[in-house]
């Protein structure tokens, strides 16, 4: 498995200035307590909020980030996305605009000060509905699939009220939609507003690239035809390559390969099957090529990797 620390000298490191938590510490501390109580429980129905904590640093772990807002309350994490390394700390919030294969690693965490985050799933339809009531804003030039900002009191206030609903699930049907709308409004009014507008607008470059990403995720076992994806995105092939790389930090071929291999790993862990059968099921024509590419991404050949995971290795992140 690649070591993120060894790759930092070869990639772009994105790291926001540390947020000034003055005036927000009381609200953040209350959210930390809510995360501590609810981190190991299934989220209530109709609440699009996930809470997570880790009491120790983790090894590099493969997974897929869904479109979301992720608010860091304590600790720090490093994420590798293609040729980018992103580090985020307490007081930062991350916007993931498309489905992205990542290698994530919690860097700062302990039993006394766990890594704690709150994540809100992003719904393009909800953002589009909110844009109807907002003044016309610029879409902006940003296309990155992940972007960082620092939290503000105006943003933390509705986030805290939404997180409190974990303690009062009966209030969720009425209160959660209003609070989610307020959070989106605050983000739209800040530096990350342009990227949310791109998520909501069907004609934006980001949304057109997302169509190609959705096709790959739904048809990972099919051969990859870049010209078909370019047509789907209503771009020329050269323009599609450029914009796809800007969003995902990887080529369409590399993205397709990572999605295939992560699906293969999931199948090997959850169902009894040999590596060759899984290789063919996810679209490989050669079992030996599958084993080579699997080992290159995950650090071990398929069955040895699965044996390690089943005896306590790091599993994929959701």
């Amino acid at each position: 498995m690649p070591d993120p620390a060894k790759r930092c000298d070869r990639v772009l490191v994105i790291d926001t200035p540390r947020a000034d938590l003055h005036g927000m510490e009381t609200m953040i501390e209350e959210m930390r307590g809510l995360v501590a109580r609810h981190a190991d429980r299934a989220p209530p129905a109709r609440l699009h909020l996930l809470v997570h904590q880790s009491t120790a640093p983790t090894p590099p772990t493969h997974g897929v980030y869904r479109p979301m807002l992720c608010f860091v309350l304590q600790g720090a994490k490093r994420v590798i996305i293609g040729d980018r390394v992103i580090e985020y700390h307490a007081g930062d919030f991350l916007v993931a605009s498309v489905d992205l294969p990542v290698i994530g690693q919690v860097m700062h965490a302990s039993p006394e000060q766990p890594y704690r985050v709150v994540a809100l799933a992003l719904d393009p339809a909800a953002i589009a509905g909110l844009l109807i009531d907002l003044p016309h804003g610029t879409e902006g030039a940003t296309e990155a699939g992940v972007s960082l900002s620092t939290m503000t009191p105006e943003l933390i206030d509705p986030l805290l009220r939404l997180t409190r609903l974990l303690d009062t699930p009966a209030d969720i049907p009425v209160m959660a939609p209003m609070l989610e709308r307020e959070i989106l409004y605050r983000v739209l009014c800040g530096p990350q507003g342009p990227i949310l507008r791109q998520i909501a607008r069907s004609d934006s470059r980001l949304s057109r690239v997302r169509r190609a990403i959705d096709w790959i995720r739904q048809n990972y076992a099919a051969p990859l035809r870049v010209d078909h994806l370019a047509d789907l995105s209503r771009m020329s092939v050269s323009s599609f390559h450029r914009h796809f790389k800007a969003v995902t930090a990887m080529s369409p071929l590399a993205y397709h390969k990572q999605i295939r291999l992560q699906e293969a790993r999931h199948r090997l862990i959850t169902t009894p099957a040999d590596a060759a059968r899984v290789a063919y099921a996810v679209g490989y024509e050669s079992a030996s090529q599958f084993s080579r590419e699997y080992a290159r991404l995950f650090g071990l050949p398929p069955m040895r990797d699965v044996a390690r995971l089943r005896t306590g290795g790091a599993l994929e992140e959701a």
Side-chain angles (χ1 to χ4, degrees):
M1 183 179 296
D3 182 353
K6 294 180 180 178
R7 295 179 57 177
C8 285
D9 59 345
R10 305 202 306 270
V11 301
L12 171 66
V13 178
I14 305 173
D15 193 7
T16 58
R18 297 286 64 76
D20 179 3
L21 301 183
H22 180 68
M24 300 186 287
E25 187 61 40
T26 300
M27 291 187 286
I28 289 179
E29 186 59 37
E30 183 178 348
M31 278 194 285
R32 290 171 182 157
L34 288 162
V35 170
R37 292 200 299 275
H38 293 276
D40 297 324
R41 305 177 188 176
R46 300 177 68 176
L47 185 64
H48 305 134
L49 194 72
L50 296 175
V51 298
H52 171 72
Q53 72 174 7
S54 176
T55 57
T58 65
T61 305
H62 289 262
V64 176
Y65 273 9
R66 309 291 186 181
M68 65 174 177
L69 301 173
C70 181
F71 302 89
V72 186
L73 308 177
Q74 189 165 271
K77 188 171 185 177
R78 173 181 293 159
V79 175
I80 297 176
I81 305 169
D83 61 359
R84 299 175 189 151
V85 173
I86 298 176
E87 295 181 355
Y88 46 100
H89 302 245
D92 293 336
F93 78 95
L94 174 146
V95 181
S97 59
V98 295
D99 292 357
L100 290 171
V102 304
I103 303 173
Q105 183 175 19
V106 173
M107 306 298 294
H108 300 151
S110 67
E112 296 77 22
Q113 291 190 315
Y115 169 74
R116 287 177 174 147
V117 296
V118 173
L120 176 65
L122 286 177
D123 178 7
I127 302 170
L130 185 56
L131 289 178
I132 296 173
D133 297 326
L134 291 179
H136 179 72
T138 178
E139 181 180 299
T142 180
E143 292 183 20
V146 167
S147 186
L148 285 178
S149 283
T150 55
M151 291 187 275
T152 64
E154 294 79 13
L155 181 56
I156 292 177
D157 177 60
L159 179 65
L160 170 58
R161 286 181 280 133
L162 183 67
T163 310
R164 284 173 178 160
L165 295 181
L166 292 168
D167 282 343
T168 58
D171 295 336
I172 289 173
V174 173
M175 298 300 298
M178 293 187 294
L179 292 171
E180 290 173 11
R181 182 179 173 89
E182 184 176 350
I183 291 168
L184 293 176
Y185 169 75
R186 294 300 181 187
V187 177
L188 280 164
C189 292
Q192 301 293 1
I195 198 169
L196 287 198
R197 291 176 184 271
Q198 285 198 51
I199 292 172
R201 290 176 175 160
S202 61
D203 60 343
S204 71
R205 289 187 297 270
L206 182 63
S207 291
R208 284 186 276 161
V209 169
R210 191 171 66 236
R211 291 176 206 153
I213 287 173
D214 290 344
W215 189 94
I216 293 172
R217 287 188 57 78
Q218 295 168 15
N219 301 275
Y220 56 82
L224 186 71
R225 289 182 48 212
V226 175
D227 58 341
H228 170 70
L229 295 178
D231 288 343
L232 194 64
S233 303
R234 292 186 289 144
M235 300 179 187
S236 68
V237 171
S238 61
S239 179
F240 172 72
H241 265 286
R242 184 171 66 255
H243 291 302
F244 192 95
K245 179 69 179 289
V247 171
T248 66
M250 62 190 82
S251 68
L253 180 61
Y255 186 98
H256 182 234
K257 184 183 297 185
Q258 286 211 27
I259 293 300
R260 268 188 175 179
L261 291 171
Q262 292 209 31
E263 174 62 23
R265 197 186 202 198
H266 177 73
R267 291 186 181 211
L268 286 167
I269 293 168
T270 57
T271 59
D274 58 57
R277 185 180 304 173
V278 169
Y280 299 135
V282 299
Y284 278 86
E285 296 180 356
S286 165
S288 59
Q289 179 188 0
F290 166 72
S291 293
R292 287 194 303 271
E293 293 186 355
Y294 188 103
R296 191 175 300 125
L297 181 62
F298 297 120
L300 288 172
M303 301 317 296
R304 286 176 57 193
D305 178 54
V306 171
R308 177 180 62 86
L309 293 171
R310 287 176 175 165
T311 56
L315 292 172
E316 289 114 334
E317 299 169 340

